[in-house]
Amino acid sequence: MEIVIILLIVSIVIYFFISKSQTKQAEHKKDIINQRVNAVKEYFNRVNQEKRLPVINTYIMLKEGESACLQENVRLLETRKVTISNRGGGAVRVMKGVYIGGTSGKSRSHDELREIDSGHLILTNKRVVFDGQTNTRDFKLDKIISVSEFYDGIEMAIEGKNKSLIFTGISNPFMWKTLVTFIRQIPASGELPIASVEVR
């Protein structure tokens, strides 16, 4: 009986500490999200006051009339199809990829999210550029179908591309999503619309 009581007390103590830890993590995450939202609000208050987008320096070659707005070190992820083969027993390998005898195996495929490169993600007033170690991606803003943000990254769906591009390691994904959406609304005249930040 004493052992049962001790185990019960230990279980309660463990549950209490786990619950407290999860609460702290949730509060910390909420604080970070609030800081990000406030940073975006301050950014667009500045845009409304100055009637222009703040410009940053970038190392990439810009086109005529183009200016950089954001730049960040990121990781590029894409979904890749992975095939898993369960080969039957008793087969003898005679050369690479060729087996004789044995029972037939089964193969199944599934999509898996994999990091394929790392580099810089640059947002300008005309396009988004990913300059990685092995990949370079460059697309105009009007080709972006949607931008979704999550805790440490964004996902972009691009017109003509079957797979979305996922960038992680971003310090303020809400800023990227909001700014891409805002810049796309700027007319050819270059006159800035009134900026407002919607929090969802």
Side-chain angles (χ1 to χ4, degrees), residues 57-168:
N57 292 323
T58 182
Y59 68 94
I60 65 169
M61 304 292 286
L62 298 175
K63 300 178 181 180
E64 185 177 352
E66 186 177 28
S67 56
C69 305
L70 290 175
Q71 178 174 299
E72 197 151 1
N73 293 325
V74 300
R75 295 182 300 277
L76 171 61
L77 282 67
E78 277 189 356
T79 53
R80 295 289 171 93
K81 194 165 287 296
V82 177
T83 302
I84 299 174
S85 297
N86 296 325
R87 186 173 302 282
V92 177
R93 182 177 185 265
V94 294
M95 61 188 315
K96 185 177 180 182
V98 179
Y99 293 81
I100 296 176
T103 57
S104 60
K106 292 182 179 179
S107 296
R108 55 189 173 87
S109 298
H110 67 277
D111 288 334
E112 194 172 279
L113 198 60
R114 290 188 172 182
E115 180 178 332
I116 62 170
D117 203 357
S118 61
H120 291 92
L121 186 65
I122 301 110
L123 172 65
T124 78
N125 60 332
K126 297 183 182 295
R127 58 187 171 141
V128 172
V129 179
F130 172 73
D131 182 29
Q133 297 177 13
T134 59
N135 288 265
T136 301
R137 309 290 173 92
D138 181 340
F139 40 88
K140 294 180 179 178
L141 293 179
D142 62 3
K143 296 294 182 183
I144 298 175
I145 298 171
S146 66
V147 181
S148 303
E149 92 274 6
F150 46 97
Y151 186 69
D152 69 339
I154 57 172
E155 180 177 357
M156 290 186 179
I158 312 298
E159 183 181 323
K161 303 288 184 183
N162 293 328
K163 298 178 181 178
S164 295
L165 299 177
I166 299 173
F167 302 100
T168 62

Side-chain angles (χ1 to χ4, degrees), residues 45-63:
N45 284 339
R46 181 181 169 190
V47 170
N48 287 332
Q49 289 173 358
E50 299 180 2
K51 306 297 182 190
R52 67 178 181 84
L53 289 171
V55 174
I56 65 166
N57 292 323
T58 182
Y59 68 94
I60 65 169
M61 304 292 286
L62 298 175
K63 300 178 181 180

